[in-house]
Amino acid sequence: KKKTVSFSSMPNDRKINSTAACISLMLEGCELKKVRSNSRMYSRFFVLDADMRSVRWEPSKKDSEKAKIEIKSVKEVRVGKKTPVLRSNGLSDQFPDECAFSIIYGDNYESLDLVASSADVVSAWVMGLRYLVSYGKHSPEAPGTGHPSLRTSWISSVFDLADLEKSGRIPVSRAVQLIKALNPGMKTSTIELKFKELQKASERPGTEVACDLFVEAYCELCTRPEIFFLLVQFSSNKEYLGVKDLLMFLEVEQGMEGVTEEKCLEIVSKYEPSKEGREKGYLAIDGFTRYLLSADCSIFDPQHRKVCQDMAQPLSHYYISSAHSACLLEDNFWGRSDISGYISALGLGCRSIELVLWDGPEGEPVVYTSPSAASCVPFRAVVGLIDQHAFTASAYPLILCLVVRCSAPQQRLAAQCLRKTLGEKLYLEPPNPVASYLPSPEELKGRILIKGKKLPPTCEDSEGEVSDEEEGWELARRLGQEDREAAEGGGRRRVRLSRELSELVSLCQAVPFQDFESSRRGQRYWEMCSFSEVEAGRFANECPAELVSYNKRFLSHIYPSPMRIDASNMNPQDFWKCGCQMVAMNYQTPGLMMDLNAGWFRQNGACGYVLRPAIMREEVSYFSANAKDSLPGVPAQLLHLKVISGQNLPKPKGSGAKGEVVEPYVCAEIHGIPADCAEHRTKTALQSGDNPIFDESLEFQINLPELAVLRFVVLDDDYIGDEFIAQYTIPFECLQPGYRHVPLQSLAGEPLPHATLFVHVAITDRRGGGKGHRRGLAGRRGRRVREYTSTKATGIKAIDEVFRTATQPLREATDLRENVQNALVSFKELCGLTPAANMKQCILTVSTWLLHSDSAPSVTLNLAEQYPPMEAQGPIPDLLRKVLTAYETMIQTSRTLIESADAVYGKLIQAQQAGMDFHKELHRIETKEGLRGRKLQKALESFAWNITVLKGQADLLKHAKAEALDNLWQIHNAGQSCGIGRNGSASPEPSRLQAPLEPIPE
């Protein structure tokens, strides 16, 4: 008879909420598929012996004494496809990773590879086996006997406090409220149903419940199996995490650095609900769950909650949060102008607001952008509001984009109003003619810049004519105010501009765009162009490199197409990938595009400014926004995402008729450069209630991490059409590794109380706990044929000779990095770990094999040496010999890298600097060589490519060395903490991690 276990909260399903429940399932037994080394699978019935000393299976050709594994011989239990047999090509696609597990046993480290019908069954077996293995020779009590646990005592004490009459019983209604208070977000109906079930099962109906029933109800309702499974993995006694267990979890799994026992005790005292646990320094399942749900364990890196980027770069080097028609609460042409839209946009950190000025009925200018607006807003009121709220969310400069549609007399009133109301905040200093770039956000803190037209220097009158190509004309045409001749006769429209308004414009002077060549030759850094969405989209597709180059010095403002009469939004990523700084969004319209915008600008303290990737800022660099593969000098990173479960998911809006059942699935989307855009979804969690289990692994390759955004979307799988439940958007650079909860939001970006996704995040080339290495060793096995990055010929002999000197150092740099990378992946695989694992996890895994057996071979790490060897005494089994060989290869390749990196780095930088010496003379050399047209363009592209490759490869080598040193530090650290290290006094100082390589100047 097949037996399965489910983590679902549906009443008829069995719920695993303790180790006892896991062992109980194992004692009953269930069917699993046994995988042989020839890749064949056989169904067998597996069961735990009544004395809990061995696991047996039947039917079997072996006699019954051989078709078993003794618990004391088990070295390790691995989840997923972590052995050579399960990784073999013949099997990899036949079952998901989460349905496989392996038992490593015996002195020869043999593996029993098994596949279960679901991830829930795997969790139960793995949890139970790990519990039994950790108790070793001490035979554990049968499930359900012995003294009350830390948790039971605490829940009983909560019950006693609520038992005001001291009768040993409390009303069901009070019991329901008590559980609801301890677990906010849980539905009252769910708790009431559970009490009814338990009362019926124990034949104790009535309006009151006793303590034992209350404890049982609490444990069944409030134990999240996936978190209990995690606790069992790290707990020494399988009931709670001691201080050392918690420290290990935070360092190894969460990637936190510098964790102390004092920090762990702080966590225990903050989150452990039981008094006994707090006094003894124990974190039981409820405290552990609270900690994982807390802000201290957020998926969003806390370092990014404050301004964390360099704010001293020129203004053109940042993306700037920009609003299009912020005063509208609904759509463009049917909405109401409402002043609260400005407060909302400024509160979200918006740093560029558009104001369209019209003639007001009472001689004063007004602001509205809709021909059917029921009311318009006086300009004076809007300016007063901006003065009041301009710097509440961000201290960095605010840009007011004035689109003038009013007469000259009313323009004068507008100018007077701006001067009088904004006073000292208004930036009026003329641009510095000697400078080449705009001032930085840091220099312009607390200032308001006016973007608009300026009268030509030759005009000496109080007003004059200027050309106008701003976005407001579509609206003017609909209002019937546009000059018919201007519309029909083509050419640029002309408008009257008052001197007073013109004088307010300093660093953001609006000028018409001609072409990129004209801008390169004649545009001044304080002049900026506005592009319609259609025009900018054409440039982004046809000449992305030129648009990126243009945006290095000049600000560009992109406004939505006037055809978007429903105030829908364009995709900001289409323009960010080309370096466009100000992409104007309709803040009043929720949806995917606004999620991307809001999520993106959260990454620098939500200050409205985000520094663009270095490859888009450097004066000489090669970057094609439409690249379909990895970029020169920027290493691809792998994001390993495991979507484990969902909590308190709300029903989709408007689905009341459908009943209570939600059948959700999760979509994970990457938005970034075209090469990175991807989407993967989990399976649908059927009949799952509010807390579905997904347990599914997804993987993404990210070629330009600095421009990537991850968006989680939860949808209800409905045959009529999938309905939106919730979403959360986070920049890739803000992800924290480890087990994290994702705080879900509504379509409008508002937090959904207690609704979360529980996920595991791993990024293969950086370690967490704040800002890890942005570049380094990618955790992917190298290709069979190694590909080397090389320089390209420019067609100019002198320059090509300089770049040719870098050919050999480029090959050496690639070999040094990839040799270490391949050795690392081999070592991790033999340890039964994924490429995302860190070195500390590898050493701890090897140590657990050695410590779980009386007859374990003696293997030690000699920590007296800088590159600690792993030494074995006496004969060792084949698997362990392979592990030692892989470790030795990894240490030797790391040593070669560390000792050779500086010299190779020096050669790469020398070639790059020699190339840069030609940069100033480039135009003279081109003319001398007679290069023009396509040949000239090709020469310039090749030159930029070469400079980017040399800088990028030198950069990669620098970070690879730092990471290799960090791995050595982890080996010393883990060796000492797990007991296989000897002569440990020579542990390297963290200062050794600082690679003596100078940063590469931009």
Side-chain angles (χ1 to χ4, degrees), residues 530-547:
S530 288
F531 302 89
S532 78
E533 171 190 352
V534 175
E535 186 182 19
R538 194 178 78 247
F539 291 144
N541 288 324
E542 293 174 8
C543 41
E546 286 173 277
L547 190 52

Side-chain angles (χ1 to χ4, degrees), residues 50 118 146 179 232 356 386 481 859 888 904 983:
S118 72
I179 288 182
V232 168
V356 187
I386 288 169
Q481 294 177 5
V859 175
E888 182 60 27
V904 178
N983 308 324

Side-chain angles (χ1 to χ4, degrees), residues 243-317:
V243 169
K244 284 192 162 54
D245 299 333
L246 182 57
L247 190 134
M248 190 73 75
F249 170 74
L250 296 176
E251 280 195 344
V252 169
E253 204 54 70
Q254 302 299 85
M256 288 170 68
E257 290 173 355
V259 187
T260 59
E261 291 197 1
E262 290 71 32
K263 173 69 183 167
C264 293
L265 284 169
E266 270 176 45
I267 289 171
V268 171
S269 64
K270 188 172 176 182
Y271 296 106
E272 174 53 42
S274 71
K275 189 180 175 193
E276 186 191 349
R278 291 195 297 274
E279 285 170 356
K280 293 182 176 176
Y282 297 155
L283 195 64
I285 180 67
D286 299 287
F288 189 42
T289 305
R290 287 180 183 189
Y291 170 64
L292 287 173
L293 277 164
S294 72
D296 289 346
C297 205
S298 166
I299 191 170
F300 191 93
D301 188 339
Q303 189 172 322
H304 287 269
R305 293 193 191 283
K306 54 185 186 294
V307 175
C308 57
Q309 295 177 345
D310 175 10
M311 299 305 284
Q313 299 274 340
L315 209 59
S316 60
H317 285 184

Side-chain angles (χ1 to χ4, degrees), residues 97-157:
D97 191 69
E98 48 275 4
C99 286
F101 70 105
S102 302
I103 302 169
I104 311 295
Y105 67 97
D107 292 340
N108 291 323
Y109 293 77
E110 294 168 69
S111 75
L112 174 64
D113 299 301
L114 302 166
V115 177
S117 57
S118 72
D120 309 345
V121 179
V122 171
S123 298
W125 274 91
V126 171
M127 203 188 297
L129 283 167
R130 282 178 177 166
Y131 176 87
L132 294 170
V133 168
S134 67
Y135 275 92
K137 292 177 291 233
H138 318 294
S139 174
E141 300 272 344
T145 65
H147 65 282
S149 70
L150 194 68
R151 185 187 201 195
T152 310
S153 306
W154 166 67
I155 302 166
S156 303
S157 69

